[in-house]
Amino acid sequence: MADFGLYTYQQEVVERALKQENIIIWLPTGGGKTRAAVYVAKKHLETTQNAKVMVLVNKVHLVDQHYNKEFDPKLGLCYAVRKVSGESDEKDFFGLVVQDADVVICTAQILYNALINKEEARHVELSDITLLIIDECHHTHKESVYNKVMRLYVEKKLKGEKPLPQILGLTASPGTGGAKTLDKAVEHVLEICANLDSAIVSTKQYAPELKKVVPRPRKTFNIVNKRDRDPFGDHLKSMMTIIHDYMDLPPDFKLRECGTQEYEADVVVLEQRGVRDNNRLLAQCALHLRQYNDALLINDTLRMIDAYRSLEEYYSTKSTMAIDGTDFFLLGLFEENQVELRNLAMDSSFENPKMDELQSTLLKQFGSGVPSRGILFSKTRKSTHCLKDWVLKNRALKDAGIKADILTGAGNGITYMTQNEQAETIRNFRMGSLNLLISTSVAEEGLDIPECNLVVRYGLLTNEIAQQQASGRARARDSQYAVVAQAGGREHRRECINEYLEELTGKAIDRVQSMSHHEFYLKLSELQRKAIISSKIEESCKTEKRRSNTASSIQFLCRNCFTPVASGSDIQLVDNMQYVNVSPDFKNHYKVAERVILERSFEDWEPGCRIRCKKCNKEWGFEIKYKKHVLMPNLAIKNFALETPKGRITVKKWKDVPFTVEDFDYEEYCQENFPDLFD
């Protein structure tokens, strides 16, 4: 093992995996879990007949990272190592790729799709795989795609079907699953073990070596007092009170304190209730109140001008969506107060003291004369953009040599980054042309980011797993992990709770590891049987719910103006992916807007233009061009209300609609819409 560059503590944690046991390796961020997994894969390939290693990751960028950094350099000379993600053409014949490769690195969704797809070129059986490596395996719970894969595995195991692959999970923390007591935390760890059909291992004998190789950073709480006066925030609250009075809040509904996450949850429920009760006044007021509450939350964390701009941006689009007195009242309220709000936001004497403390924290590190690298973690993509703007305009930070840029999750939209942009930013950080990343949680987990000597958590309320992942980014010697928070505030309290939960996780794992072999595997079997039964019952309930209504009995309404625009029978599912409206009459209800640009390409379709409600301008989704010439609207269900025989409802995801969506038949569609071609 020494010739492979493994530390002794890594050798300790792979011992049982080398004996072909199912194992979860628990090592801290920076502890070399991936390198240990590559070693297990190498030994497995050398000693197993017809070996086939599959490496699953939960984010697209990790496919390239694991391939380029670890698996191909270590195994590529002797074995066929392939990588496949949703951006690869190989996904369309994944079954053939697996047949020809020794090692395949892919997203979990790719494998799950292949397991349930019966088309020969795409299909894969679990029995085709001899070693299944699952990265960041603490995500194997509930309805995650990792758990969907492992549920298929566990079902086969309980039926006695063989062969099945050996499982190797990797995690920096399984967490406590929200548990606050040791017994409940133990239960959570056992559930993760059951879902992965694996025992959990960590270094015991060589723990001192691990501490030396992966030193923990020095943690500081940089606490600030609440500002004495907040006229900007007070003005926002007075405007919210006006809206409260205008909308005539239902007597049985009580809103909690403005400027809190709890208030946000309340107005989300209030909007849903307004839609359900056909009360547009209530629904629209709730939507606007959420924006004001967002501005209060921004005001609490960032600059006042950032909070003002968030409202200004929201209302810049609202004038084109106004259709009744409610809209004109809400729009008028903002316009009447806009100048006053802007003036208050520009008054530096009431600026957020957290920003001063954040500046001081950054200057202590970057102004010390020591070459530094840091990550500033913030909650949202919007907040990272605000913080970058602040850094670039701050003379003191500029003079300290801070060169900052944003690192956020990949996706579609103005505030998202493409995969290439992510890679370029990390490359610049590694080369030194950047020395501060302003990041969302995307940088907490998995990304190959160079050692940092400063990690700052700012305005974050996350669980103990995210906290440990972030802390693990401060790997340089004498590094600092700083929490900038208000005295007694939510972030301070949450950070303290997370410290307790981190300890609790360790105790829970110790308890699980101390169980006898017989007791542990008896408990695993019991949990697995319960999980499969629960899953079947849940799926049965969903199927029953979908069967309870015919598609034609469901009416689609624009969620903003409540105009009926489609029937459930108009909706069909394309390639198990896109929910489209196949009715030619639907075009009468929408107008096309700007073109959608996606970084990746797809086999059978390409994006067209966004579509909006003709009456109120509400965005509904975007058109797709299928097989180069069939143009169909692809709908986002969250933008619609559903009128059912039992009343009006809203759902977040298509899987929750109360009717069965038929699969799209391309040939049938063409015969109906282009009959001349078939004469």
Side-chain angles (χ1 to χ4, degrees):
M1 293 191 202
D3 63 315
F4 203 74
L6 292 191
Y7 290 103
T8 319
Y9 72 83
Q10 290 171 303
Q11 296 174 30
E12 181 185 359
V13 297
V14 301
E15 279 177 3
R16 290 173 65 179
L18 296 177
K19 296 173 185 173
Q20 298 188 321
E21 289 185 53
N22 286 0
I23 290 300
I24 298 167
I25 292 176
W26 174 44
L27 285 174
T29 302
K33 296 180 292 295
T34 310
R35 178 63 56 86
V38 176
Y39 182 79
V40 172
K42 180 174 183 290
K43 290 301 175 186
H44 181 87
L45 290 161
E46 290 170 354
T47 58
T48 307
Q49 193 172 7
N50 300 319
K52 188 83 64 183
V53 178
M54 183 82 70
V55 184
L56 298 189
V57 298
N58 63 328
K59 292 177 183 173
V60 174
H61 61 259
L62 294 177
V63 173
D64 283 336
Q65 183 174 300
H66 284 342
Y67 176 85
N68 295 328
K69 286 283 178 181
E70 294 287 355
F71 283 90
D72 193 52
K74 294 292 182 184
L75 304 176
L77 287 176
C78 302
Y79 301 99
V81 183
R82 302 287 292 275
K83 57 175 182 171
V84 185
S85 71
E87 299 180 344
S88 321
D89 292 337
E90 287 92 339
K91 71 180 184 299
D92 300 321
F93 45 92
F94 186 66
L96 302 179
V97 172
V98 173
Q99 284 178 30
D100 294 339
D102 300 308
V103 181
V104 179
I105 305 163
C106 65
T107 52
Q109 191 66 53
I110 296 285
L111 175 59
Y112 181 68
N113 291 347
L115 291 171
I116 61 175
N117 192 321
K118 299 306 174 189
E119 193 179 323
E120 188 176 348
R122 298 175 186 239
H123 182 64
V124 171
E125 285 285 346
L126 277 171
S127 55
D128 298 334
I129 307 162
T130 55
L131 174 62
L132 184 61
I133 299 172
I134 302 181
D135 189 40
E136 309 291 0
C137 70
H138 50 273
H139 292 296
T140 313
H141 62 92
K142 297 179 182 174
E143 289 306 303
S144 72
V145 67
Y146 277 167
N147 213 21
K148 288 179 180 178
V149 170
M150 285 308 302
R151 210 173 277 151
L152 295 174
Y153 174 104
V154 170
E155 277 196 64
K156 287 180 179 292
K157 177 210 165 186
L158 293 177
K159 289 176 186 172
E161 293 182 24
K162 291 182 179 179
L164 286 171
Q166 178 187 351
I167 304 296
L168 177 63
L170 311 174
T171 183
S173 174
T176 67
K180 302 289 194 298
T181 65
L182 182 55
D183 286 347
K184 289 291 185 183
V186 167
E187 205 173 290
H188 171 73
V189 173
L190 283 169
E191 281 177 4
I192 295 288
C193 290
N195 292 343
L196 288 152
D197 194 43
S198 300
I200 187 163
V201 299
S202 55
T203 183
K204 299 291 185 187
Q205 192 175 348
Y206 299 100
E209 181 192 40
L210 173 61
K211 283 184 180 177
K212 189 176 177 183
V213 173
V214 189
R216 286 185 70 93
R218 174 173 54 89
K219 184 167 186 175
T220 61
F221 281 101
N222 300 356
I223 303 301
V224 298
N225 292 320
K226 191 174 182 179
R227 51 185 150 197
D228 297 329
R229 288 185 59 214
D230 182 13
F232 176 78
D234 291 342
H235 197 84
L236 290 178
K237 289 175 183 176
S238 70
M239 294 170 71
M240 293 168 81
T241 301
I242 292 170
I243 298 174
H244 292 164
D245 294 339
Y246 177 80
M247 71 179 177
D248 193 19
L249 196 67
D252 64 332
F253 199 96
K254 188 170 176 60
L255 289 166
R256 284 170 284 186
E257 185 186 355
C258 296
T260 64
Q261 301 289 351
E262 292 78 18
Y263 182 92
E264 181 175 325
D266 290 342
V267 290
V268 166
V269 172
L270 201 60
E271 187 271 341
Q272 292 167 349
R273 179 164 168 172
V275 173
R276 190 184 69 218
D277 295 347
N278 199 34
N279 186 340
R280 190 170 184 276
L281 166 65
L282 196 65
Q284 287 302 306
C285 286
L287 285 173
H288 286 250
L289 285 169
R290 183 174 182 181
Q291 295 299 321
Y292 281 102
N293 197 64
D294 279 350
L296 284 173
L297 290 169
I298 293 169
N299 182 51
D300 185 53
T301 309
L302 301 162
R303 297 169 298 181
M304 294 183 291
I305 195 64
D306 298 320
Y308 169 76
R309 283 174 185 158
S310 75
L311 280 175
E312 187 179 52
E313 185 182 332
Y314 176 73
Y315 280 100
S316 67
T317 63
K318 281 294 162 186
S319 58
T320 61
M321 298 177 73
I323 58 171
D324 64 13
T326 299
D327 296 325
F328 290 115
F329 166 78
L330 292 166
L331 187 60
L333 179 66
F334 176 73
E335 288 174 347
E336 287 165 17
N337 288 272
Q338 188 170 3
V339 173
E340 176 71 9
L341 283 173
R342 189 191 297 120
N343 290 339
L344 289 170
M346 300 293 284
D347 189 341
S348 59
S349 57
F350 300 111
E351 196 50 273
N352 191 346
K354 287 183 190 173
M355 300 298 288
D356 289 337
E357 188 59 41
L358 177 59
Q359 175 178 311
S360 175
T361 301
L362 293 172
L363 288 176
K364 276 177 192 169
Q365 182 64 53
F366 287 94
S368 64
V370 178
S372 297
R373 271 199 186 98
I375 304 180
L376 170 56
F377 284 110
S378 188
K379 184 180 178 183
T380 63
R381 289 187 300 275
K382 185 187 283 186
S383 66
T384 62
H385 284 267
C386 294
L387 285 167
K388 179 186 175 182
D389 181 67
W390 169 71
V391 169
L392 293 178
K393 291 176 179 175
N394 187 301
R395 177 56 63 87
L397 297 179
K398 196 174 180 181
D399 290 346
I402 293 179
K403 300 181 286 289
D405 209 346
I406 290 164
L407 182 65
T408 60
N412 309 310
I414 297 169
T415 59
Y416 286 90
M417 297 183 80
T418 65
Q419 296 290 340
N420 289 337
E421 286 170 340
Q422 273 190 348
E424 179 70 16
T425 299
I426 293 169
R427 185 160 47 248
N428 290 337
F429 190 61
R430 185 175 291 111
M431 299 297 289
S433 56
L434 296 174
N435 56 15
L436 179 67
L437 293 180
I438 304 172
S439 179
T440 53
S441 58
V442 69
E444 287 173 347
E445 188 174 282
L447 278 175
D448 182 31
I449 291 172
E451 292 181 349
C452 297
N453 42 20
L454 177 66
V455 166
V456 183
R457 300 244 303 164
Y458 187 71
L460 282 174
L461 289 167
T462 55
N463 63 19
E464 72 281 7
I465 296 175
Q467 179 173 311
Q468 283 173 264
Q469 299 276 10
S471 174
R473 293 293 165 200
R475 298 180 203 166
R477 294 287 164 192
D478 302 319
S479 57
Q480 181 189 0
Y481 171 85
V483 178
V484 177
Q486 186 176 297
R490 294 166 301 153
E491 297 97 333
H492 189 191
R493 291 197 303 272
R494 184 71 229 188
E495 202 77 20
C496 293
I497 290 169
N498 285 344
E499 287 180 353
Y500 163 72
L501 294 179
E502 187 178 343
E503 272 184 49
L504 194 63
T505 301
K507 289 176 183 175
I509 292 171
D510 284 343
R511 174 86 69 86
V512 169
Q513 289 174 335
S514 67
M515 293 170 74
S516 71
H517 184 276
H518 176 73
E519 182 191 6
F520 176 74
Y521 285 102
L522 201 65
K523 184 66 177 170
L524 250 57
S525 295
E526 178 193 335
L527 288 169
Q528 288 170 343
R529 283 193 296 273
K530 281 183 181 176
I532 294 298
I533 291 168
S534 296
S535 173
K536 288 185 182 299
I537 291 171
E538 192 175 332
E539 191 51 48
S540 174
C541 289
K542 284 182 181 176
T543 303
E544 193 61 36
K545 181 183 173 184
R546 285 192 286 267
R547 286 176 179 166
S548 64
N549 298 294
T550 61
S552 59
S553 71
I554 305 297
Q555 190 79 22
F556 277 58
L557 284 67
C558 172
R559 186 156 176 170
N560 183 59
C561 64
F562 301 165
T563 303
V565 293
S567 164
S569 56
D570 299 334
I571 310 300
Q572 292 186 4
L573 178 58
V574 175
D575 295 345
N576 206 34
M577 186 178 183
Q578 311 283 357
Y579 288 85
V580 300
N581 189 315
V582 297
S583 168
D585 296 334
F586 188 59
K587 284 187 177 178
N588 299 325
H589 295 289
Y590 72 81
K591 55 187 175 183
V592 295
E594 69 277 12
R595 189 164 187 80
V596 175
I597 307 296
L598 301 179
E599 186 189 27
R600 54 187 282 201
S601 59
F602 302 87
E603 182 185 19
D604 287 328
W605 66 275
E606 60 185 78
C609 295
R610 296 193 191 282
I611 61 171
R612 297 180 181 276
C613 175
K614 231 175 205 179
K615 182 177 178 182
C616 72
N617 215 33
K618 169 79 174 171
E619 187 174 326
W620 285 348
F622 59 90
E623 290 182 320
I624 63 167
K625 188 180 280 189
Y626 187 68
K627 293 193 181 291
K628 300 198 183 302
H629 68 273
V630 174
L631 198 64
M632 297 180 292
N634 170 43
L635 307 181
I637 190 62
K638 66 180 180 180
N639 296 327
F640 296 88
L642 304 181
E643 198 74 74
T644 79
K646 294 180 180 177
R648 192 178 296 180
I649 63 168
T650 58
V651 296
K652 285 184 179 179
K653 296 183 178 177
W654 277 102
K655 67 181 178 65
D656 298 320
V657 297
F659 66 97
T660 302
V661 178
E662 299 294 332
D663 287 331
F664 177 73
D665 187 314
Y666 177 66
E667 191 174 322
E668 185 181 300
Y669 178 87
C670 290
Q671 285 177 345
E672 285 183 10
N673 291 274
F674 310 106
D676 295 348
L677 299 176
F678 295 88
D679 287 345

